[in-house]
Amino acid sequence: MILITRKNHCFLSFNQCSFSDLIFSLVYGDERLELSLNGKWILQNSNGSLLFPAEVPGCVHSALLKQGFIQDIYFRFNDVAYRWIVLDNWTYTISFSPSNELRAKQRVRLVFEGVDTVASIFLNGVITGNTDNMFRRYEFSVGKMLRGGENNVEVRLLSPVVYSLERSQAHSSYAVPPDCPPPVQKGECHVNFIRKAQSSFSWDWGPSFPTLGLWKGVRLEAFNPSSFPSNLPDSSLSQWVVEVEGLFDAVEQTTVRVSLSVVELWTEEAFTVRFLPGTHKCSLSLYVNQSSQVKQWWPTGHGEQCLVCFIVVSFSCEFPTQVYFRTVELVQEPIAGSPGLSFYFRINGKPIFLKGSNWIPAHALQDLVSPADVRNLLQSAVDANMNALRVWGGGVYEQDLFYDLCDEMGVMIWQDFMFACAMYPTESDFIQTIREEVIQQVRRLKSHPSVIVWSGNNENEAALATDWFKIPVVQRPQYYTDYVSLYVDNIRAIVLEEDGSRPFLVSSPTNGAESQWEGWVSRDPYNLHYGDTHYYNYTHDCWDWTALPRARFASEYGFQSWPSFSTLRKVSKPEDWSYGSTFSHHRQHHAEGNQQMLKQAGLHYHLPDSPDSLQRYKDTLYITQVMQAQCVKTQTEFYRRSQSEIIEGKGHTMGALYWQLNDIWQGPSWSSIEFGGKWKMLHYFAQEFFSPLLPVGFEDQGVLLVYAVSDLSHDLHLKAVVLYGWSSVDAVCTVVSGTALVGGGSAVVIHKQPITALLAGCGSGSCTRLTCLMTYHLEDINGCQQGPINHLFLSSPKEAHGMLKPNITFSVQQDEVRRYTINLRSSAVAAFVWLDALDVPGRFSTNGFLMVTRNRTVTFDPWGPTSTKQLVQALTITSLRDVY
């Protein structure tokens, strides 16, 4: 949590939730009253032709869906069919009767936790205020406007599409690109002129649904000041310190006595604070007893997520909270044998390789993202051995539950601010609403130990430096000025003032300290000697690791695939079930994406050729997932084995976050988890290529090298065991390497041998590149396997000799804990064995695997009630040889 090594800080949480952002209040000698306005409102369009009940929190689309005015927004072509919704203006109204006690309070506020997006707020027919930012909380003082009996709140929402257009037209002095998304995305224009989820106007992995609504809660709150909220850490000492930020709202001169204590750490101190009338902020520092043993919060895989009880007492009111202790540094320092600087995170003094993915909005309609959805996705990340996620800057700042669960699960968060792939206007009102957005979000999120870094935007430094938008040379200084004004003079300045405990990066990708030295926009933001890198190449052979960038930190990379047929079937019709259908073209929002997937797959696999059109479609969906999984595996393993070496001045890679974790709808994308939570083959692969201990094998100019990659904290003596053979489930040959010392947090070569010598060692003609493949694993000095079994193809599978149809059969048994055991039997080596339970939701223990034995057991955990009979009827098994 700190940029400077000497600083030690803690993080507070309140009743399992974030303890920040001036939300929590202690009211002295008086009761704080709240009246929730969540629930049923009335919603109508501009001409009154539609008028119906609507739930708040919610949005117009979900209200129309619930009332039956529209179908599933994701069904077939509904993203285009329902465009009329966002071109209209909509009004929410509610009537309520506040109590006399509430009305009698000195301060009464009407609070909107989230308005999406541009609205005018009326109370009893009188305008109370306006909103223009989805990411802000709005508070309006309404004490004098309330009346006895019935009151009425009206929220008049403007079309975000029309508003954005009008703002763009008003900005006539120079263009602010891009104007519109590529036509393939079927989206709306000028999203950079409105502060809402940038992907809501469309993206290359999702639909255009620029929502309108009250997407978070609404309430009245009433109190008599003063009040005491919390949380900001800052210290330059090596001693642990709990720092509590307070905001006091006093109507007269006030003296407040506050006691802070961490009982488990034998630490307590009392403070007397005096305030003059008005609103004031202060920080109280509680220095932890140096003789106490502080248990720290660790990322998953590196330790426990420890917390202790923290108590705030004032005027005999006691409020227990939770405290986490951890430090973070972003280390950018010279590396021996390499130009440039390192780029890695040190947590509690330990260098950590970040393993994970990028998070996008889980649904186009945020009110339909359930707590179960969030927990399932995050648990899926942890179960795939991920320790980090990047909350991408084109979506939303996630809900509190997301960050609470990341704290609980030990998932580190790279938090972007919500700016992506665009230039932005810098008019004073636009900057001002952004400033308030940043202040609120930093205060809300900074109490979470899971958040380890702030980043100003997604790819905007790169867009400006490499001239994505073809800006004339003479005009470029204006855009550089705007860029620095927004991200440095405003956002960065606010972050440094509000949270001195974490590193801040202006962009991603960026050269970090080098970009700063160059004036915040580097000449080459993709310089591999600095910072983080985004890398995509869909035409080059993804198996060719020599073309991959040996970056300091890989924060985006990936390949597309299609989701499974069972996922697509829910939003399509039989006439859509072919790879060349109108539906398939409509769903693809990345230019040439469908063709790129087949071309990449065709480099190494036979493409499906079943005479049955439906089977060929299903097989094609499967082959895209095979391609994606193997491509991302190759790239991730390259980054992991590059962490301990410098080659030609490049390397020391300390992070691999592939694009992307989750899906926003049922369509082709870079995700490893389908919409609805089903794991793609890639996610099952991630479970292994992110394993804490991993063997990585590859070929370099005819030589086989096997690395042992370790995230462990302790050293191990390991050896590699290599087995291989295509045509038989019996191993043709076995080679055992010598034992090597593998240090914790390192990647070490433990076996090196020319491929020709390896094959010759099997005896005359037993193995060739075309007839054999390799599997390999690690063993300790006692002969016990450590980590997963990995594989290496010596030729493209489509060129292999002796690959037979495996004719896999299975049986299913249920155990006592509602888990199902699937016993597989194969007559031949089978590649990319894929088990699909179709419409029976759940997860397999492993999938997409290489089956090199006659028998294998896989378990299945259903997410709901099912039976052995249902699972047997649903289960399908596909291998690579089955699709041609």
Side-chain angles (χ1 to χ4, degrees), residues 810-824 857-862 867-869 871-872 875:
F810 68 91
S811 62
V812 177
Q813 293 176 312
Q814 183 179 6
D815 63 19
E816 297 177 357
V817 292
R818 208 169 55 83
R819 178 179 296 161
Y820 294 85
T821 299
I822 303 168
N823 300 300
L824 304 174
T857 299
V858 177
T859 60
F860 178 75
D861 288 299
S867 65
T868 301
K869 181 180 179 181
L871 184 56
V872 169
L875 188 63

Side-chain angles (χ1 to χ4, degrees), residues 225-445:
S226 59
S227 64
F228 179 80
S230 194
N231 169 355
L232 175 69
D234 183 27
S235 172
S236 58
L237 304 177
S238 59
Q239 181 181 3
W240 285 105
V241 58
V242 181
E243 292 203 353
V244 181
E245 179 184 273
L247 182 71
F248 287 78
D249 189 1
V251 293
E252 59 185 21
Q253 183 171 304
T254 305
T255 300
V256 178
R257 186 167 178 81
V258 181
S259 173
L260 308 178
S261 64
V262 184
V263 178
E264 295 173 54
L265 300 180
W266 302 91
T267 300
E268 183 174 11
E269 188 171 352
F271 303 83
T272 300
V273 185
R274 182 183 178 189
F275 289 98
L276 298 175
T279 299
H280 305 275
K281 186 173 76 171
C282 75
S283 291
L284 305 178
S285 298
L286 176 65
Y287 294 90
V288 174
N289 190 326
Q290 289 185 298
S291 64
S292 299
Q293 184 67 36
V294 173
K295 294 182 178 179
Q296 295 165 304
W297 181 97
W298 286 95
T300 180
H302 294 274
E304 298 180 355
Q305 293 73 53
C306 298
L307 53 84
V308 295
C309 182
F310 176 73
I311 297 175
V312 180
V313 178
S314 189
F315 282 90
S316 301
C317 298
E318 183 174 292
F319 291 83
T321 72
Q322 293 176 337
V323 179
Y324 298 89
F325 293 86
R326 74 109 176 90
T327 67
V328 62
E329 305 159 75
L330 175 56
V331 182
Q332 300 181 79
E333 60 188 12
I335 304 174
S338 173
L341 300 172
S342 66
F343 189 93
Y344 67 91
F345 292 91
R346 199 153 53 197
I347 306 297
N348 300 326
K350 177 184 178 182
I352 303 288
F353 189 103
L354 269 62
K355 306 178 301 183
S357 189
N358 287 261
W359 175 282
I360 67 166
H363 201 292
L365 313 184
Q366 280 291 302
D367 54 295
L368 298 187
V369 179
S370 71
D373 294 334
V374 176
R375 181 176 288 275
N376 182 46
L377 287 170
L378 290 176
Q379 190 63 56
S380 291
V382 172
D383 291 347
N385 290 307
M386 297 182 185
N387 61 23
L389 293 171
R390 174 174 170 249
V391 177
W392 170 73
V396 298
Y397 306 96
E398 282 298 327
Q399 56 185 277
D400 290 341
L401 175 65
F402 174 90
Y403 300 97
D404 294 338
L405 290 175
C406 289
D407 294 345
E408 175 188 311
M409 295 178 178
V411 178
M412 294 176 285
I413 295 299
W414 173 311
Q415 179 65 56
D416 280 1
F417 288 95
M418 295 300 124
F419 303 86
C421 300
M423 301 295 97
Y424 287 86
T426 54
E427 286 93 341
S428 59
D429 62 334
F430 197 74
I431 290 292
Q432 186 54 46
T433 195
I434 289 171
R435 289 183 60 86
E436 187 61 33
E437 167 192 330
V438 173
I439 290 170
Q440 290 184 12
Q441 293 299 337
V442 171
R443 288 178 179 175
R444 179 173 75 96
L445 301 180

Side-chain angles (χ1 to χ4, degrees), residues 29 64 87 127 151 604 625 666 717-718 747 818 839 865:
L64 289 166
L87 298 178
I127 191 163
N151 289 256
H604 296 289
Q625 291 205 20
Q666 307 91 332
H717 286 84
L718 298 171
R818 208 169 55 83
D839 292 325

Side-chain angles (χ1 to χ4, degrees), residues 517-583:
W517 184 83
E518 292 185 43
W520 303 105
V521 180
S522 176
R523 291 183 300 275
D524 177 17
Y526 296 100
N527 190 324
L528 299 180
H529 299 115
Y530 302 95
D532 67 314
T533 296
H534 297 186
Y535 176 78
Y536 298 95
N537 190 327
Y538 309 114
T539 57
H540 189 82
D541 182 356
C542 74
W543 288 23
D544 179 12
W545 61 268
T546 64
L548 299 175
R550 200 180 295 272
R552 301 290 195 230
F553 193 107
S555 50
E556 277 194 32
Y557 59 97
F559 291 84
Q560 278 198 326
S561 71
W562 276 84
S564 61
F565 179 69
S566 60
T567 294
L568 289 169
R569 182 168 57 184
K570 298 170 184 175
V571 292
S572 58
K573 291 183 176 182
E575 65 200 74
D576 302 324
W577 298 341
S578 71
Y579 201 73
S581 69
T582 301
F583 173 80

Side-chain angles (χ1 to χ4, degrees), residues 656-707:
L657 308 179
Y658 66 75
W659 186 269
Q660 66 206 65
L661 179 74
N662 55 312
D663 258 337
I664 198 170
W665 72 337
Q666 307 91 332
S669 80
W670 293 256
S671 76
S672 62
I673 302 177
E674 298 177 7
F675 181 81
K678 185 176 183 177
W679 287 19
K680 288 182 177 178
M681 192 178 295
L682 171 55
H683 209 77
Y684 286 102
F685 272 43
Q687 196 171 27
E688 297 199 344
F689 64 59
F690 281 144
S691 176
L693 198 59
L694 176 70
V696 177
F698 63 99
E699 184 179 345
D700 186 9
Q701 297 181 351
V703 177
L704 169 69
L705 293 98
V706 178
Y707 279 57

